[in-house]
Amino acid sequence: MPINYPETFFFAVVTTAAFAVLFQAPKSTLLQSGLIGGVGWVVFCLMRHSMEVDSFYANLIATIVLAILSELAARVFMHPATVFVIPGIFPIVPGLGMYRGMAKLIENHYDEGMAILLAAAKDAAAIAIGIMFVASFFRVIKISREQQHLLQLLRMEKKKQVEK
């Protein structure tokens, strides 16, 4: 059965905005957070179902996309990136896998339960790696810009001292 991407996007936007409300994000960021979460979910669905990519890589790529969008939104709307990225990851969090894995363990199907839980942990790790990668990348850019600015100030100060 093919995925209805506009419907999927809509429900992911609503879900993400609801989590943003739950976490008391500023009201002015709800739409942006919702859109970011919707894009992340559609990317995940495209990768996982249409391109048949392993769930680890689908989660990683979706997280990288939504983390980049969150970092950009943070700069445009003057809010911390976490306001956008935390609600944005909720549609791709492997909660169903964790639930099913625990249910199998409770039913004494240990091998199957552990396999499901390990897959869910792997997907959760992909989300963490994606967020850390993008946040680190943007942090390096920020630090390099600050260093460039500091070097310019030092050069100007040296030039003033030479002219005296």
Side-chain angles (χ1 to χ4, degrees):
M1 184 165 130
I3 294 177
N4 182 347
Y5 287 104
E7 184 178 288
T8 299
F9 177 75
F10 172 76
F11 285 113
V13 168
V14 170
T15 301
T16 304
F19 275 107
V21 169
L22 183 67
F23 289 120
Q24 299 177 357
K27 290 179 185 173
S28 63
T29 65
L30 297 181
L31 178 63
Q32 295 87 2
S33 295
L35 292 173
I36 289 168
V39 169
W41 178 246
V42 168
V43 168
F44 172 78
C45 289
L46 279 169
M47 299 296 295
R48 184 76 177 122
H49 301 289
S50 297
M51 298 179 180
E52 298 180 2
V53 174
D54 180 61
S55 66
F56 176 84
Y57 296 109
N59 272 302
L60 181 65
I61 293 167
T63 302
I64 288 171
V65 168
L66 73 86
I68 290 170
L69 292 174
S70 295
E71 291 286 347
L72 295 175
R75 278 137 186 85
V76 170
F77 299 108
M78 302 296 186
H79 287 286
T82 55
V83 169
F84 303 103
V85 78
I86 297 301
I89 64 170
F90 270 91
I92 62 173
V93 168
L96 182 60
M98 292 178 209
Y99 173 81
R100 286 182 177 162
M102 289 305 296
K104 290 292 181 183
L105 289 177
I106 291 169
E107 295 168 354
N108 295 327
H109 298 111
Y110 300 115
D111 290 343
E112 191 176 351
M114 287 306 295
I116 294 170
L117 284 173
L118 286 174
K122 185 175 73 165
D123 292 344
I127 293 168
I129 291 167
I131 291 171
M132 288 188 312
F133 175 75
V134 172
S136 298
F137 178 76
F138 275 85
R139 182 72 179 145
V140 166
I141 290 172
K142 182 180 178 187
I143 289 172
S144 68
R145 283 185 181 169
E146 289 172 352
Q147 287 177 343
Q148 291 289 333
H149 182 68
L150 182 60
L151 287 174
Q152 287 176 347
L153 290 175
L154 288 173
R155 287 183 193 127
M156 289 173 41
E157 187 65 34
K158 247 185 179 178
K159 190 175 183 179
K160 286 180 185 177
Q161 288 178 355
V162 169
E163 290 175 355
K164 286 183 182 182

